[in-house]
Amino acid sequence: MTVRVRFAPSPTGSLHVGNALTAVANRRFADERGGVLVLRIDDTDPARVVEGGEEAILEDLAWLGVAFDEGPVRQSERGELYAEAATRALESGGAVRDEDGAVRLGQTTLLRADGSTTYQLASVVDDLDLAITHVIRGSDHRPNHELHRRIARAVGGELPEVIHHGLVLGEDGKKLSKRHGHSSIAELREEGLPAGAVRAYLDELGLPEHDVHLDLARLRRLAIDAISAMSDEELAAAAGAPVEAAPALRGARSLVEAREYARLVLSPEPAELPDDAGPTLERFVELRGGAPERLTTDEARAIVRELKAVGGDLRALRLALTGAATGPELAAILAALSRDEALVRAARA
Ligand code: GLU
């Protein structure tokens, strides 16, 4: 039997880290078993439908490298299926119709008075209809499990196997929310964490049995690893810089920092130099002028060493070349700038 799993977010916007963990875990579960992942959009509850929410989720999944094999299947387009299931539940499953027209199974509403479907019914009907073999979701849904089993029987089916995983909580142990920052995939992306680092972090968490605390220090470590694993081309592209600038981007700890380094190297702001910067810059012009058009990092380091040996003001040189007092390693800046560009900047300063 082919393993079929589903990831079923409500379209509320960019995925929370915990939801992204569910997506990654479902993808991995399917991949390890030659199975299929269905993307289902749970949009029956108007309060949980946000304009652009589905697009944001699709963007997050693409960014994380989580592909799906079927879908998106939207619950809002499957009302007929749910109505049929409700009829079965009324005929032979022990459901009752209220005076106002709502259909209930015990305390639980399956269809509202206006005929719209609740998440409880829609989720169960879809898991049966889409032939889902394993439901993998956060443990916040554990309380639904028994109820879903009863609904499945009422509509004439058996619930698939259900696996609940621990939630990702904030570093303070509370439910992740906007207040924490770093809580959604969009926020992590904007912070400059490479997709590979976030994906590696979620893969590392796997299917946690108990709740875990978001470990930002670990994420940042993985970001540094992911950046050092990138080729010059990848890193430059991620920072929006030409590949020649790559040496200066190497030490960046995030892609936001890499973009900032790229800006320093590509379009520096003019800076105020100390009065006695002259001799350092003159010596630099001599050394750089006598070296090749492009420097290896070793050649660049040799120039920095010589300048230092004669008591050169390295901070002044950095200011002259980048307009800023801090940034990438000085040798990396030299390796990223052509000879002409470096000499022009030194002369202008
Ligand atoms: N739409 C539900 C959620 O986002 C899905 C729960 C489930 O996987 O059944 O929490």
Side-chain angles (χ1 to χ4, degrees):
M1 190 172 64
T2 307
V3 163
R4 291 174 59 84
V5 294
R6 83 318 192 259
F7 173 53
S10 300
T12 53
S14 180
L15 295 173
H16 266 236
V17 177
N19 251 212
L21 175 110
T22 309
V24 167
N26 273 286
R27 179 71 267 173
R28 211 179 32 245
F29 191 90
D31 287 345
E32 285 167 2
R33 293 161 182 80
V36 166
L37 171 62
V38 183
L39 176 64
R40 186 181 92 195
I41 302 293
D42 284 3
D43 55 356
T44 55
D45 179 358
R48 289 175 63 75
V49 176
V50 170
E51 174 86 26
E54 180 182 324
E55 288 72 19
I57 290 168
L58 292 175
E59 190 184 339
D60 288 347
L61 292 176
W63 187 74
L64 286 169
V66 175
F68 46 91
D69 308 294
E70 293 177 22
V73 174
R74 294 183 196 89
Q75 292 192 322
S76 58
E77 295 167 3
R78 294 161 65 82
E80 228 167 283
L81 199 68
Y82 310 138
E84 283 164 21
T87 304
R88 286 200 301 282
L90 282 168
E91 282 168 358
S92 56
V96 294
R97 192 182 287 279
D98 282 357
E99 270 169 36
D100 63 0
V103 176
R104 280 186 302 105
L105 184 70
Q107 300 295 313
T108 307
T109 304
L110 305 182
L111 287 186
R112 302 184 190 97
D114 64 3
S116 65
T117 317
T118 62
Y119 155 73
Q120 311 289 7
L121 177 66
S123 180
V124 170
V125 170
D126 281 337
D127 286 338
L128 299 177
D129 180 69
L130 299 167
I132 299 303
T133 58
H134 299 78
V135 169
I136 301 166
R137 64 183 172 199
S139 59
D140 48 338
H141 285 283
R142 207 189 293 276
N144 287 327
H145 189 190
E146 226 3 82
L147 171 65
H148 286 188
R149 209 202 302 271
R150 268 188 283 126
I151 296 175
R153 295 209 174 123
V155 302
E158 274 302 326
L159 210 60
E161 187 177 330
V162 181
I163 301 164
H164 289 113
H165 63 73
L167 305 179
V168 182
L169 304 176
E171 293 197 297
D172 56 3
K174 302 220 173 82
K175 204 166 168 323
L176 264 189
S177 72
K178 285 266 181 292
R179 179 176 50 78
H180 286 93
H182 334 284
S183 64
S184 70
I185 295 300
E187 281 172 297
L188 298 182
R189 184 166 52 225
E190 277 153 28
E191 257 181 74
L193 291 166
V198 178
R199 177 70 194 254
Y201 178 67
L202 296 174
D203 275 323
E204 222 169 69
L205 288 180
L207 263 181
E209 206 172 317
H210 302 290
D211 294 351
V212 293
H213 292 194
L214 182 65
D215 185 349
L216 283 171
R218 179 65 190 149
L219 255 174
R220 298 215 168 99
R221 240 327 329 132
L222 288 167
I224 292 172
D225 293 350
I227 288 175
S228 40
M230 285 181 180
S231 67
D232 281 359
E233 286 76 13
E234 285 168 335
L235 178 54
V243 69
E244 291 73 31
L249 312 180
R250 277 289 153 208
R253 287 156 299 176
S254 75
L255 296 177
V256 167
E257 195 167 51
R259 283 191 279 276
E260 171 64 13
Y261 285 3
R263 195 187 58 76
L264 292 178
V265 170
L266 299 171
S267 43
E269 310 266 344
E272 195 70 33
L273 293 194
D275 291 339
D276 54 358
T280 297
L281 295 183
E282 280 156 29
R283 182 72 186 125
F284 171 70
V285 168
E286 266 171 47
L287 288 168
R288 187 64 190 92
E293 168 72 8
R294 285 274 161 198
L295 298 175
T296 64
T297 309
D298 278 350
E299 288 165 341
R301 289 210 173 107
I303 290 181
V304 173
R305 261 198 314 275
E306 282 199 46
L307 273 173
K308 212 167 165 181
V310 298
D313 180 351
L314 298 183
R315 189 171 163 276
L317 177 60
R318 171 187 289 283
L319 277 170
L321 295 178
T322 68
T326 57
E329 191 200 344
L330 189 54
I333 296 166
L334 292 184
L337 292 176
S338 70
R339 182 177 52 208
D340 286 354
E341 184 61 30
L343 293 180
V344 165
R345 289 187 192 182
R348 201 167 44 204

